[in-house]
Amino acid sequence: MVGVPLARRTRKRSRPTRIDLVLEYAAMGWPVVPGAFPLRQGPRACSCDRLGCPDPGAHPLSPAWHLQATTDPALLTRWWQAEPEANVILPTGRVFDVFDVPLAIGLSALTRIDNAGAHSGPVAAKGDRVLFYVATRGNPEDEDEWWSCHLDCDPATIDDTPGLRWHCRDSYVVAPPSTLPAGQPVSWLRPPDGLPLPDPLRILEWLAD
């Protein structure tokens, strides 16, 4: 990761704005794309144009998100000026992968990682889920070694597999300070600190324990 660590830069202001964090991610080399956001009034739950959206506020605005995701600050600023409430979507399998686990499992693993003096990498809370950001496995020669979660194509699958989900190639996560349908924000438990992202198999061992 490049640029000044997010944790250090955000200490100066208690409540960074949405575009502030978007530009922080871009400065670290993390591509970003605008996401839909929950609607609190009216007949629809999501700002997208899909009737009965099954994953309100938790998917990109455009089906071409994988092509649009960028670190260009000028383009990102224009997007969020046009849609200031847009949630923040980070594609996975490029700079990082993400382990997505139930809240109790994630908090327990994080406590044990901290007690062992190990490096957890960035960790975010998203409602009843915890997201661990780890080094990406990229495109292994053995395609059986990676698992891609097509959340926008079939978001209901998260209910079918309530345990571990490994977001890698062709997937994405909703990042802080996005807003969830119940009104609570996605937030950092351990913000990016400029250190190399942890090996995914090492974090997987903590989660499996």
Side-chain angles (χ1 to χ4, degrees):
M1 297 185 293
V2 296
V4 179
L6 181 67
R8 190 181 308 160
R9 296 175 70 180
T10 55
R11 281 196 201 105
K12 297 179 181 179
R13 50 183 184 270
S14 59
R15 297 185 64 182
T17 65
R18 193 156 299 197
I19 187 57
D20 285 336
L21 282 182
V22 166
L23 296 178
E24 297 276 8
Y25 299 144
M28 295 190 299
W30 292 10
V32 191
V33 70
F37 55 91
L39 297 179
R40 299 181 185 178
Q41 297 180 344
R44 293 186 300 154
C46 184
S47 66
C48 72
D49 57 5
R50 290 182 291 184
L51 294 177
C53 175
D55 208 17
H59 61 82
L61 279 174
S62 170
W65 60 270
H66 57 291
L67 299 176
Q68 291 183 340
T70 183
T71 59
D72 181 349
L75 183 54
L76 292 168
T77 298
R78 286 200 299 272
W79 282 343
W80 263 271
Q81 285 176 339
E83 286 284 359
E85 294 184 80
N87 274 345
V88 181
I89 301 293
L90 302 179
T92 54
R94 302 184 184 189
V95 180
F96 51 79
D97 290 353
V98 171
F99 289 128
D100 176 343
V101 299
L103 181 65
I105 293 174
L107 294 181
S108 175
L110 185 58
T111 296
R112 287 183 281 111
I113 291 172
D114 289 346
N115 290 341
H119 180 227
S120 67
V123 181
K126 174 180 170 284
D128 60 355
R129 310 288 295 186
V130 174
L131 309 181
F132 288 79
Y133 288 64
V134 297
T136 184
R137 307 241 13 231
N139 300 318
E141 293 181 4
D142 183 355
E143 292 292 315
D144 291 335
E145 291 191 11
W146 63 267
W147 175 28
S148 180
C149 306
H150 302 274
L151 295 186
D152 196 41
C153 298
D154 189 13
T157 56
I158 197 166
D159 296 325
D160 299 330
T161 53
L164 170 70
R165 295 179 62 79
W166 188 335
H167 297 270
C168 49
R169 191 173 69 182
D170 297 332
S171 189
Y172 53 81
V173 292
V174 182
S178 299
T179 304
L180 301 176
Q184 73 269 43
V186 182
S187 59
W188 288 113
L189 299 176
R190 300 290 184 276
D193 55 10
L195 296 176
L197 293 170
D199 182 278
L201 298 183
R202 180 63 182 131
I203 296 298
L204 189 59
E205 290 178 0
W206 289 105
L207 294 173
D209 289 343

